[in-house]
Amino acid sequence: MKRRIITAWILLGSAFSYLEGYPQNITQQQQAFQGIIGRTLADSKESWTKPVKAPAGAPNVLWILLDDVGFGATSTLGGVISTPTFDSLAHQGLTYTNFHTTAICAPTRSALLTGRNSHSVHMGGFAHVAMSAGFPGYDGRIPSDKGTVAEILRESGYNTFAVGKYGLTPDEDATDAGPFDRWPTGKGFDHFFGFLGSATDQYKPDLVEDNAHVQPDGRHLNEQITDKAISFIERQQKANSGKPFFLYYAPGATHSPHQVATEWSDLYKGKFDKGWDVFRDEVFKRQKQLGIIPANAVLPGRNSNIKAWNKLPEEERKLYARFMEVYAGYLSYTDHEVGRVINYLKASKQLENTLVFVIIGDNGASKEGTFSGTIDLPRGATNKLSQQEIIKHNLEASGEIGTPKSIQGNYPLGWAQALNTPFKQWKQDANSEGGTRNPLIVYYPKGIKDKGSIRSQYGHVIDLLPTTLEYTGIKAPEYIRGIKQDSIQGTSLVYSFDDAKAASQHRIQHYYIFGARSIYKDGWKAALSYHPDLLDLSNNKEGLPKNYVENVWELYNLNEDFNERIDLAKKNPAKLEELKALFEVQAKKFNLYPYITWDDVYHTRIHKNY
């Protein structure tokens, strides 16, 4: 008995020693007792942990992340799809045209929320069973030592809310039985309303509120998440807490299924009848006029696997134009719902003190609509049909495009390339700017001086967390709930807010998505495509590699050739070898090994219990 008591005192003493050394522990910011405990109250002195408060005057923070939007889609970046909310924010803020994502959704979101590279936080693939693997870079489980922006800000005196797409909860945990530590509320958000997966029906979403699945009310998901976001802030303000808030607004839009009321899609009737070739030319011209791209830029040729618009039969042109009308309406509607949040903040006199970041897409435009578009047939069904049978089905079901029946709705591949103007390739292609370059808007009335200007400094989604912390005056914590934190890997963009000519401080960045890869350093980029001949859809095996060779790398000088037109691999082999070696260094450092490919995914070689 005596030995047990001594052991207990040793453990207790160790605990108090631990608490004295660190400001936070698992009891949520409860500090070690600093008072005196005597035999009576008269002999004792109370000690209270002071409530944590955000820095004086700290702004509210709003992160907006859209899904599957190409660089040239919005009117903000020279596109023909009307996005007046984004236009207004850009005209009063800054537009970053050299900002990057990871090329696919879950890796982008994990990197964004943690300020660390996706493989470093175990999200090199997805949190889905079929696309995760039992390795540190791929198991789909963000560790507790990689704290999210929500955890940091909540520990620093903010209320934290998230609505829309989360996409980072392992499939095995995504039931009402939990565990809930990898749901949004387990990763720092006070409240969440949205869906946990990668995509969902916009009228019948797999909807979650906080830690339970709930029934959708039949309205479009965009409207529901916007109402909920506003209600979260309203409730906080009514409590007179004096706290700033952090809102992560991440609609499922514009990921498939593309579903939107006809009042929006009909706004674009006839607008795309000229087709994707004319679309690319017109957008490219406007981008030059707006100063978004260099005046001497050249538009890459249409991908050889995509037919010229004027070579298509008339019935196909009508079908494909309707796909695009629906997508355009969907994007404009999404801009409208974002505008409701902005207008609420303005009406409630909170917008002036709200730091807003808008990332227009978590990757490039989607290539998942195949050459002919998708409406209601799942991928497994289309794989059993010939190309002509798919087109015949789509023509027969064309009236369902955009409706609740369009449960797989997505545009054809030709529109994906057009939406990514001025770049090549598309979503999933970590080797290409078309897969990884997405615009960023920064808006803060109190702090942005050079309103309406463009920034060309190199940036990546891992940069938003350190940018937010620097601008709010919050230091990255050494510990969160007693767990020592890994270092943040992003680079703050604040240095460029007031200096358009400042040299880029984010100098090295790697990319890897299931075989496709690239490495950037100081304007040079080496890239390896996992499917150099694009997608071999002729045999209905979407995504499978064709003639894949790991040593066929390309080399680009983005300082002179921003949209990757001139391959310098043969002309400058020394630079290529230098960058390839750097990629291997990054791969070892940031958990990219083993290199898991789409071939491994499609042949179910991963996520096995041995």
Side-chain angles (χ1 to χ4, degrees):
M1 183 67 179
K2 184 175 180 180
R3 183 177 180 180
R4 289 180 184 175
I5 293 173
I6 292 172
T7 301
W9 275 107
I10 291 172
L11 292 173
L12 186 60
S14 298
F16 274 107
S17 174
Y18 169 83
L19 292 174
E20 289 172 0
Y22 307 120
Q24 302 176 64
N25 60 37
I26 59 172
T27 56
Q28 301 180 21
Q29 302 177 334
Q30 185 71 27
Q31 295 176 352
F33 181 69
Q34 302 294 323
I36 298 172
I37 300 177
R39 185 171 180 274
T40 67
L41 182 59
D43 299 331
S44 306
K45 180 181 179 182
E46 293 180 84
S47 174
W48 294 90
T49 298
K50 293 181 179 179
V52 174
K53 293 184 178 181
N60 304 311
V61 178
L62 170 57
W63 282 10
I64 299 167
L65 175 66
L66 270 61
D67 201 329
D68 284 11
V69 185
F71 187 93
T74 64
S75 54
T76 314
L77 274 296
V80 300
I81 302 174
S82 177
T83 50
T85 300
F86 300 146
D87 294 352
S88 177
L89 293 173
H91 291 157
Q92 300 174 67
L94 304 172
T95 301
Y96 284 78
T97 60
N98 198 8
F99 189 78
H100 296 77
T101 57
T102 69
I104 204 164
C105 59
T108 288
R109 291 161 195 272
S110 64
L112 172 67
L113 290 173
T114 64
R116 302 168 177 95
N117 290 296
S118 55
H119 288 79
S120 293
V121 297
H122 297 213
M123 202 68 67
F126 290 80
H128 304 312
V129 170
M131 289 182 279
S132 59
F135 303 101
Y138 297 92
D139 63 27
R141 288 157 169 79
I142 299 175
S144 296
D145 68 337
K146 326 286 186 188
T148 69
V149 63
E151 289 177 292
I152 295 171
L153 292 181
R154 187 167 69 178
E155 295 282 320
S156 303
Y158 277 70
N159 282 126
T160 55
F161 312 122
V163 297
K165 175 175 173 176
Y166 188 61
L168 302 176
T169 300
D171 288 345
E172 298 95 324
D173 297 353
T175 73
D176 285 349
F180 303 108
D181 55 325
R182 291 190 174 92
W183 287 41
T185 52
K187 288 296 182 181
F189 291 103
D190 293 327
H191 291 291
F192 171 74
F193 182 82
F195 60 101
L196 301 178
S198 293
T200 195
D201 190 301
Q202 294 296 291
Y203 290 103
K204 297 178 181 178
D206 184 15
L207 198 57
V208 163
E209 183 160 13
D210 293 339
N211 284 0
H213 285 80
V214 295
Q215 286 294 321
D217 62 15
R219 296 179 298 151
H220 197 285
L221 182 59
N222 275 2
E223 184 178 357
Q224 293 183 61
I225 67 169
T226 302
D227 285 352
K228 191 64 70 169
I230 292 172
S231 73
F232 287 157
I233 299 170
E234 281 182 333
R235 286 191 300 179
Q236 183 220 32
Q237 294 300 304
K238 287 179 181 178
N240 293 319
S241 66
K243 286 185 173 184
F245 67 80
F246 169 65
L247 171 62
Y248 176 51
Y249 182 99
T254 55
H255 194 290
S256 63
H258 300 161
Q259 298 167 315
V260 70
T262 54
E263 66 184 272
W264 289 98
S265 57
D266 285 354
L267 293 174
Y268 291 94
K269 275 191 173 181
K271 299 290 187 182
F272 303 105
D273 289 354
K274 294 179 182 179
W276 44 61
D277 294 317
V278 171
F279 179 103
R280 293 181 72 224
D281 290 338
E282 291 180 348
V283 170
F284 191 72
K285 181 179 179 180
R286 275 193 297 274
Q287 289 174 335
K288 283 190 176 183
Q289 292 171 344
L290 293 171
I292 293 168
I293 63 177
N296 62 350
V298 176
L299 180 66
R302 177 181 10 90
N303 195 289
S304 60
N305 289 320
I306 296 172
K307 293 181 180 179
W309 183 263
N310 60 13
K311 299 293 185 182
L312 294 169
E314 182 178 357
E315 60 180 4
E316 285 187 45
R317 293 200 298 266
K318 290 182 178 179
L319 173 67
Y320 299 162
R322 184 56 185 163
F323 273 112
M324 192 58 183
E325 290 169 5
V326 166
Y327 178 76
Y330 190 26
L331 181 53
S332 287
Y333 170 55
T334 302
D335 175 89
H336 166 76
E337 289 298 320
V338 172
R340 287 180 56 211
V341 176
I342 298 298
N343 289 337
Y344 162 73
L345 294 175
K346 185 175 182 179
S348 59
K349 302 186 186 310
Q350 299 179 79
L351 186 59
E352 282 293 310
N353 194 38
T354 300
L355 175 61
V356 182
F357 296 90
V358 184
I359 305 175
I360 304 180
D362 58 356
N363 42 245
S366 169
K367 65 182 177 184
E368 294 147 359
T370 76
F371 286 123
S372 308
T374 54
I375 302 175
D376 56 350
L377 294 178
R379 187 170 299 176
T382 58
N383 285 348
K384 299 176 182 178
L385 301 176
S386 70
Q387 195 69 28
Q388 287 306 311
E389 287 173 325
I390 294 171
I391 293 172
K392 182 176 182 294
H393 173 83
N394 285 350
L395 287 168
E396 292 171 350
S398 61
E400 297 178 358
I401 298 173
T403 72
K405 293 182 179 179
S406 184
I407 56 175
Q408 300 290 335
N410 204 348
Y411 46 59
L413 197 60
W415 286 122
Q417 182 175 25
L419 290 167
N420 283 333
T421 303
F423 301 111
K424 299 185 300 183
Q425 306 296 69
W426 24 59
K427 176 181 176 180
Q428 300 182 18
D429 294 332
N431 53 292
S432 171
E433 296 292 292
T436 63
R437 196 183 291 208
N438 291 88
L440 167 70
I441 299 169
V442 181
Y443 169 90
Y444 185 46
K446 282 188 174 182
I448 300 298
K449 300 174 183 177
D450 196 11
K451 292 178 171 59
S453 63
I454 292 172
R455 293 291 183 269
S456 58
Q457 286 85 357
Y458 192 92
H460 188 271
V461 286
I462 61 176
D463 297 339
L464 251 63
L465 187 151
T467 302
T468 298
L469 295 187
E470 180 177 350
Y471 212 76
T472 55
I474 294 171
K475 292 183 178 181
E478 185 179 359
Y479 288 81
I480 294 179
R481 298 193 184 186
I483 298 174
K484 185 173 176 59
Q485 295 295 293
D486 193 6
S487 59
I488 290 172
Q489 295 160 5
T491 302
S492 172
L493 292 168
V494 172
Y495 73 90
S496 63
F497 280 11
D498 295 332
D499 189 354
K501 297 182 179 180
S504 296
Q505 293 186 10
H506 191 139
R507 299 178 55 203
I508 297 174
Q509 183 60 48
H510 66 271
Y511 300 83
Y512 185 90
I513 298 295
F514 293 123
R517 69 199 74 169
S518 61
I519 182 73
Y520 167 92
K521 182 182 179 185
D522 294 335
W524 284 88
K525 179 179 177 181
L528 175 69
S529 172
Y530 189 56
H531 32 73
D533 295 320
L534 235 182
L535 300 179
D536 181 12
L537 299 183
S538 59
N539 61 359
N540 299 310
K541 294 181 179 180
E542 181 182 353
L544 291 180
K546 183 179 180 181
N547 300 328
Y548 171 62
V549 181
E550 190 173 338
N551 62 359
V552 182
W553 285 73
E554 299 168 356
L555 177 68
Y556 299 101
N557 181 355
L558 300 184
N559 295 315
E560 300 174 357
D561 176 27
F562 81 106
N563 57 353
E564 303 170 312
R565 293 182 55 255
I566 304 169
D567 181 6
L568 301 173
K570 293 181 179 179
K571 187 175 182 180
N572 196 341
K575 173 60 74 172
L576 178 60
E577 290 305 315
E578 172 195 334
L579 291 177
K580 286 170 63 177
L582 178 60
F583 185 86
E584 294 300 319
V585 171
Q586 297 276 294
K588 292 177 183 178
K589 181 178 180 180
F590 295 114
N591 292 344
L592 274 65
Y593 288 170
Y595 290 146
I596 295 174
T597 69
W598 279 122
D599 191 58
D600 296 322
V601 174
Y602 289 125
H603 289 93
T604 62
R605 299 187 187 107
I606 57 176
H607 207 114
K608 293 181 179 292
N609 295 318
Y610 294 103

